[in-house]
Each structure stands twice: as structure tokens, then as C-alpha cells.
Amino acid sequence: MHQRFTFIFLLLSFSAFAQTPPFPQKGLKLKWEVKENGFMGEAKTLSVFTLTNTTKKTFPAAGWTIYYNFIRFTTPLRTETAPAVVPGHVNGHLYTLKPTGNFKGLAPGESIRINVESGAWVTNYTDAPDGPYIVWDEAPAKGYAIADYTVVPSTDDKQLRRQANDTKVRTTPEEIYKRNSLIRDIPLEQLPRVFPTPDSTRNTEGVFTLDAGDVIAYHPEFRQEAEYLAVILKEALGKPVKTAEGNNGSIVLGKPLKKESSSPGSYHLSISSDKAMLNGVDAEHVFYAIQSFRQLLGKPNNGVISIAGIEVKDKPRFGYRSFLIDISRNFQPKAEILRILDVLALYKLNVLHLHMSDDEGWRIEIPGLPELTEVGGRRGHTVDELDMLQPSYGSGPDVNNTTGSGWYTRADYIEILRYAKARHIKVIPEVEMPGHARAAIKAMDARYTKLMKAGNAQAAGEYRLSDPEDKSQYRSVQEWKDNVLNVALPSTYTFIEKVTDELVAMHKEAGAPLDVIHMGGDETPAGVWERSPACQRLLDTSASLETADDLWSYFYDKVARIVNQRGLQLYGWEEAGMRKTKRDGRNVMIVNPEFGARNFMVDVWNNVMGGGMEDLSYRLANGGYKVVLSGVANYYFDMAYLRDYNEPGFYWGGYVDIDKPFYFIPLDLYKNTKEDDAGNALPASVFTGKDRLTEYGAGNIMGIQSALWGETLKSSAALEYLMLPKLLGMAERAWAKDPEWTKDEAGYNEAWSIFANVAGKKELPRLAKLNGGYNYRIPTAGVSAADGKVSANVQLPGLVIRYTVDGKEPDAKSSVYSAPVAQKGTIRFRVFDQQGRGGRTVTVQY
């Protein structure tokens, strides 16, 4: 008995020792900074890590590895000989710093500089390495976060340029001032009363007085909409409003008196002194009438809201008005998805495209395949990825990190579907394939290993997505070496069928039947399948397949059959509608004629201005594909608002402020495109020879989608900052008919002024109150110095500029800017909304 106790004690002691790192967890300080972009005249960046020992103990010369995430491919510095610590690549965006024999350790207080070279450039803080942690060789399964990590802001031109000869390194306050100068301040009472812009509207005589004694009467088909409106009116009045089926009410939700008087997909809102009529051909369009009606509600006076007479006849420009949210790269809680749905409803958007799977995470529970979320839905430090995925986007070593780990249970997803359905929003799940599929691949590898250990070989291979004998070498855009499904395995299609069936079942249970499913298709790297024995066997036995390139069409033909057999429309990214061929001996991508006549819908994202693919959406539409305009240059909301180190977001496709989605002309994007991806003026010659949209092709343009990819979204506040107010421009262009100013600069400036005033004076105050308020971006002030004075202006009239002349940060009590400032010294300007929340400060020395 005594010997057993001693043995257990020794085991516990050893376990405790093994969990104690050989160096204090908080003993390291890590700093990173850019030294030079355009390094050595190339599209490269030279940066430096500085590692400091902050303890009184010597940091060891060996036995450790530092891991970190970085969105730039990193290599040792070419010009450096005998480095003490060298960078290495694990997979994806996970990198290492490891000591060599030249590293002698760090004495207390000592530092070492580690030079690294990386591809492309780094011009804002969200590009920086993130999530560093250290792993000790003696305990390789445990990672310890380096909490004392800082990124040194870049301020010099050589740190901010994108290439060696780049002269435009930042959007200056003067440039912002010049742009803002085109916007005139319009009195609130002169602004349109309904947004997005209705098909037709006119003010009428009379004033409707709304109070808690009013009754919402409704057609039997519109009960749910009546209850929705009752909630809105209770919030507006502070007291409940009754609902009743029929026509006996002062607010009536009904159908048109004459069907022929109302076109399909339209609504009619009429407010007179005694009645508010909200008519629609169906519940969806009555719902849109409600959204317009709620915009007319002002503050109650003695319990009464007065609404001036108005008549609105309205219908959407496009039947497909979508917002994509990526929850795979960084997870967002269910509550945030519900908040997003409320905003989409407010602005009459009708699709939520849920990007629920990718390389870095699988986010919806699939019954029968628990590994998809238990492994593919979690990230942390791991030695074999049989328990979780490796860290990405700074999620760090802790599996409990709420951005790297998380998923929606089946019940969660059904709740989201029902919430969306009540707001007439279709949720379209996306299952990324064949590329961008690493989370699923690793999850099914873990399932295979587990079941093989249990002796169940048949079940182990049932859903496997990878061929263990595949020696193909490739690297995806995100640097993954193993993120593509093997299209020759029957188990791949068994997996696709299983996931599709479970998603269909969840939608059915929610009462929101699935009729279209997104099956990915983008960014499958070159080199895949070329050295897979399973793929080679398929090629050898098929009369129609000759090379690995032909497997692309083979795969999507099988996926289309799976989807279509279940009564669903196939939807994918543009690459799913393309195929590789050769022209003059070079590989080129052309529109695949095989799928154009099969009701195949595609998101076309690649319209980088100046990149050569500006006409791709039109080529696909002319080729018979149903096209959703999802171009990065106007509708990728993860792009930074402007070129500024402190402005979050990416910028590889350009900078996207609220004006970019607003001035986009869907059926002729060449008309109003103003700048390239670097923010430089774009000559009209760029579009010479580009395909134009035919009448047939125009009929294949389904609508517009804005996309918010999740790489930088490490909080719900970050999501809302990049989403809003950009979404307002997209909502206007997706709903309103083509503007008349497409070739008229003065007409555009007037329309832009009206839109900017509506955004600043009406919609941002509305968003500040909805659901407790949204973290929309407040623009930075434009500033210009001339004639001994400093002038400031704002992009969205209705917001307030405050300033200080003593160098202090302006707050909600600082002086309101109303005239040019003549005082010399350090002047700081900051824009505030009507609730007193401020944006970023602009500092000038004058």
C-alpha cells in the first residue's frame, strides 16, 4: 500500500514538473517592426523581431520554438550569414522562429534582433504577425502565449510603400478634405424620407397621428408581419399596439385591391391623415413596406408620433441582394449573426451567405460527423491535428480562444434560420470545396485514425477526403500544402451527400427549405491531383479525362448531380464556371461551356481594377451563367476604407470606402470606375477591348453581394466597423433603379451629397439605437491648411467635428469646429456621432 502511494505521488510530481516551463511564461518580450517595403527593389518586406529577456534568469540557447501567424510568406534574410535564430514555415500562415547553434541564449535584460524577409508588403497594422507563443522541446504538446508582444507602428515612407517606386504611401488629410468638399450639407427636411431610394415617391397632404390606441389590421397571410410591426411600434411609442385580422384598423397590412395595379415583387405604402396602408403582393413585400414605414417614425410627442402624408410605390432592382459573412477564419457568436440579420432586414437585403467552412474552421454541427466541429471547429497548439486545427490568424495556443474555436450547434443553426425567415432573408450555407477544405479534410483524417484504432476499417474510410498516397505538391494562396479534397475518392462524394442531406434536413426543420447551396470553387492551387495514385487510376480508366486539369469539370459535374438530385440549385465561386486550357502554349482560364445551360449560379469576385479581369462577370453572364456581382473592387468589405496604417483591413483588391459600393453601375461597371487597387486614377484605356454585357447576359445578372471575409475580424466590433456604413452603399445599388448620373459628374456629385447626408443624418443615428447600437465606422476628418488657417470637413454631414489646440485628444466635450482655426501649434481634429462616440484623430502641426 505504501509503495503504491509513493508511485502515485511520483507520477503526480512528474506531471506537475512537465507542466512547468523551464523559463517563466511572462519572462519574454517580443516586438516586431517593418524596416522596409519594396525591399531590394522587389515586392518584399524586410522586418525585424526583437526578443528580450525581461527576467533575472538566463533564457536558454536551445530547446524551444516560437510559433506565430503571419499572412505573408516568410523566409530567412538572403543577405544574412550565420543567423542565431531563423524563421521557418509549418503550414498555412503558421511560422516558427528557431535557434541555431549560433544562438548563445539571452542573459537577463539582453535582446536579440531576428531579421525576416516576407513576400508582398505590409502597410497597415492588421498585416502584422500575431498570436506568438513558445513551445519547449521537453513538452511539445503545450504552448505558452507570449503576452508581452507589440507591433511598432510604421511611420516612414519606406515602411509604407507597396513597391520600391511607390510614391503614394498614405491617404492624406488633404486628400480627404478635397473629396469631402464635393459634398454639400443638405437640411434634414429636404432629404428623401425612405432609404434605399424607392421606385417612386411623393409627399401627400395630411398628417397621420400614431399612438398606442391604433390597431394593426392584417390580411390573414400577413400575421407574422403584423406581429413584427407591433414590436417596432411598441419600441417607438413605449406602449404596446394591438393587432387584429381583417381591415378594421388605422394601420392596414393588405394586398393590392387590384392585382394588375401592382407588379410582381412590389409594395405600395400610402399614409393619409386617417390611415396607413401597407400593401404588398406577398408577405415579403409587405415586410419591405414595414421597413419603409419604420423609417418615417419620429420621436413621440406626448405619446403621439406624427407622420406627414406620403405615397411610395416600390420594388427592388435585383431579386438577389446578399451579404456574405465569413465565420470560418474567425468565429462570430450566434448573437452577432442575429444582429447582422436585423441590419439586413432594415435595408431590405434578402440573402445571408454564410461562409461556414474553410481551411481554418468548420462552424456548423453535422449529425453523424462530430469530428467536423470537435476537431475542425477548434484551433490551438497541436502536435498532429487529431484533436484540433493549428492556430491561424493569431488565435494562439489556447483552444478556448473564442475567435479560433467555436461553432453553431444544430439547434443554433435552426434558430438562425428561423430568425432569418421571419425577416424574409434566405440563409445560404457555403461548403468550401475542393480547395479551402482543410478543416474538413483534417477532421475526417482524425475520424479515420480514431475508427482505425477501434478496428472499424470500413467506417474509417467512409467519409475520408484525402488520399494518403498522394504526393502532389502545391501551395495555396494562403500557403496551405494540404487543403484540397481528392476528387477521385468515392468517399469524397459520400461526404458531400451526407453534409448536403443534413443541411437540407436542418432547413426543413426550421421551416426554411433549402433550394440553393453554395459549393465553393475558388482558389484551387496549381499542382493538385497530379501525383495522386487514386486520381491517376481515374484518368487511366476514363475515356473522357486526359489530364489532372480535366478533373475539375469531372468534380463539379458530380457535385452538380448530387445537388440537383435533391432539388437544389448549384451555386459557387467564379472558378467553378471556368476551366483551364492553353492558348499560344500558355495556361489560360476560359468560361466553361459545359455548365452555362445548367442553371449554375456563380459569385464573381475578381474585378480588381487594372488587374485584367474586370470583365469576367460579364463574360460568365454572356456565357449563360447566373451571375451575382461580388467584385472585390466595390463589394469586399474586408478591404480597408482608405490607405492609412491605422485603418484595419486588407487592400490587395483596392480600398473600399462607402462611396465604392454606391457608385458601382451593375450593368456597365466601366462607366463610373475611378481608381485602381492602389488608389491611383484609372485611365479609361484599361477597359479597351473588354467584353461588354449583352442583352442576353444582362438577364443573367441575378444581383449584388457584399462580402466580409473574416481574417481580421477578431471581435464583433471589428466586424461591424468594416460592415457599416459600407453596407448602405451596397443596399442602395442593389435596391434602387439605375441612377441617371452614370455619365454626368455634376449629377453624381449631387446624388453623392444626398446619399452622404442620408447616411450621416438619418441612418447612422438609426443604427446607433438599433439593438443597443452598432460599431459603425466614424470617418476621419478632412483637413487642409491655407492662408494661415486650418480648415476641416467631414464625409457624412450630421456628424460633428471637435478639435483641440493644446495637443490633447479631443473628446465629446471639446470645442465644436465651425470655422477655420487660426491658432498655431498642434491641432487635433476628431469626428463624433450624435451619441458622442468618436472616430480616429487627425493631428496637424501648423
Side-chain angles (χ1 to χ4, degrees), residues 478-694:
Q478 288 78 22
E479 313 299 347
W480 295 107
K481 309 169 187 177
D482 53 359
N483 76 331
V484 183
L485 304 179
N486 192 297
V487 299
L489 300 178
S491 53
T492 291
Y493 303 99
T494 304
F495 174 86
I496 294 170
E497 289 174 336
K498 169 67 172 175
V499 169
T500 302
D501 287 341
E502 294 295 344
L503 288 169
V504 167
M506 284 185 267
H507 278 255
K508 183 178 180 180
E509 185 172 332
L514 189 64
D515 60 359
V516 57
I517 188 168
H518 201 293
M519 291 298 197
D522 64 320
E523 296 184 331
T524 299
V528 299
W529 310 318
E530 291 180 353
R531 297 172 62 187
S532 162
C535 289
Q536 190 58 53
R537 286 192 294 272
L538 176 61
L539 294 173
D540 291 343
T541 57
S542 173
S544 59
L545 302 175
E546 296 182 4
T547 71
D549 290 339
D550 296 328
L551 295 175
W552 180 264
S553 296
Y554 167 84
F555 173 73
Y556 267 103
D557 175 69
K558 289 183 73 70
V559 171
R561 292 178 189 276
I562 291 170
V563 167
N564 295 158
Q565 285 168 3
R566 287 153 175 81
L568 310 178
Q569 181 183 17
L570 182 60
Y571 186 13
W573 291 101
E574 62 190 46
E575 292 95 330
M578 308 290 287
R579 68 168 298 148
K580 187 184 294 185
T581 186
K582 289 187 180 293
R583 183 171 57 207
D584 300 328
R586 299 172 59 187
N587 288 329
V588 295
M589 296 294 288
I590 64 168
V591 173
N592 188 345
E594 293 182 32
F595 299 138
R598 291 172 64 174
N599 197 32
F600 196 170
M601 188 159 73
V602 290
D603 286 313
V604 183
W605 62 267
N606 190 358
N607 75 330
V608 177
M609 293 302 150
M613 300 290 281
E614 298 88 351
D615 62 347
L616 181 57
S617 55
Y618 296 164
R619 286 195 278 137
L620 281 160
N622 292 342
Y625 287 85
K626 307 301 181 185
V627 169
V628 178
L629 301 172
S630 311
V632 57
N634 301 82
Y635 292 114
Y636 267 31
F637 289 175
D638 54 309
M639 298 296 112
Y641 281 87
L642 46 80
R643 190 164 181 170
D644 187 304
Y645 179 83
N646 295 305
E647 196 64 60
F650 290 159
Y651 45 87
W652 57 268
Y655 299 89
V656 178
D657 201 344
I658 187 176
D659 63 327
K660 285 279 189 77
F662 173 77
Y663 69 55
F664 180 75
I665 305 301
L667 304 187
D668 195 348
L669 63 87
Y670 312 134
K671 281 185 177 180
N672 217 42
T673 299
K674 303 176 185 295
E675 63 183 38
D676 65 13
D677 62 317
N680 302 309
L682 193 69
S685 60
V686 166
F687 303 120
T688 301
K690 297 296 180 184
D691 282 19
R692 304 189 71 83
L693 196 62
T694 63

Side-chain angles (χ1 to χ4, degrees), residues 60-74:
W64 55 268
T65 302
I66 291 175
Y67 292 80
Y68 64 96
N69 289 130
F70 193 19
I71 61 171
R72 302 287 187 255
F73 190 77
T74 301

Side-chain angles (χ1 to χ4, degrees), residues 55 77 186 236 239 283 333 341 357 377 381 422 431 443 487 494 531 606 635 778:
T55 74
L77 183 62
I186 303 173
K239 296 180 180 180
L341 287 167
S357 72
H381 179 69
V431 186
V487 299
T494 304
R531 297 172 62 187
N606 190 358
Y635 292 114
I778 297 171

